[in-house]
Amino acid sequence: QVQLVESGGGLVQDGDSLRLSCAASGLRFSYYTMGWFRQAPGREREFVAAITSSAQTTSYADSVKGRFTISRDNAKNTVYLQMNSLKPEDTAVYWCAATSSSPNWLASGRYDYSGQGTQVTVSS
């Protein structure tokens, strides 16, 4: 049974930082492209970032480029999202996802597995 469990969300202020983690089990983690999505109330799901299985390639949404960094530790079956310079518009539920396909495939919203999500709230 595949499980993706996110942690690290919380309430922070404008300009603060947070690091999200996603611990995976039940899958060959090192084979999967991993990514993060978010959804704010009343808004559509938004792709945030992706990283290939070997961590060789990363991709980001324009809205987070330069502020967020995705990374992974295949020995720990964990993917991270370091979020700096947070803004109120970053407030959303964030979840991780896994695909056996490419980052572009994942960025289009197609993935094999996803987690339940963690809330990030940025106050102004």
Side-chain angles (χ1 to χ4, degrees), residues 12-28:
V12 296
Q13 294 190 327
D14 193 351
D16 284 351
S17 298
L18 273 178
R19 188 176 82 154
L20 304 183
S21 299
C22 169
S25 60
L27 77 169
R28 282 194 168 186

Side-chain angles (χ1 to χ4, degrees), residues 13-114:
Q13 294 190 327
D14 193 351
D16 284 351
S17 298
L18 273 178
R19 188 176 82 154
L20 304 183
S21 299
C22 169
S25 60
L27 77 169
R28 282 194 168 186
F29 182 78
S30 62
Y31 283 20
Y32 283 81
T33 290
M34 300 297 296
W36 289 91
F37 287 82
R38 67 185 182 185
Q39 187 166 20
R43 300 188 66 175
E44 292 189 354
R45 176 184 63 181
E46 179 185 17
F47 164 77
V48 176
I51 186 167
T52 54
S53 58
S54 62
Q56 200 164 19
T57 302
T58 58
S59 58
Y60 298 92
D62 287 343
S63 58
V64 307
K65 205 170 290 184
R67 299 187 299 122
F68 290 12
T69 302
I70 189 170
S71 62
R72 65 190 295 159
D73 185 338
N74 285 347
K76 295 183 178 179
N77 287 2
T78 301
V79 61
Y80 305 98
L81 185 68
Q82 177 67 42
M83 306 186 294
N84 298 331
S85 303
L86 282 162
K87 306 174 183 180
E89 51 263 43
D90 294 318
T91 295
V93 174
Y94 287 72
W95 69 92
C96 63
T99 181
S100 55
S101 187
S102 69
N104 286 342
W105 185 261
L106 186 142
S108 71
R110 292 170 283 192
Y111 42 78
D112 302 315
Y113 307 104
S114 63

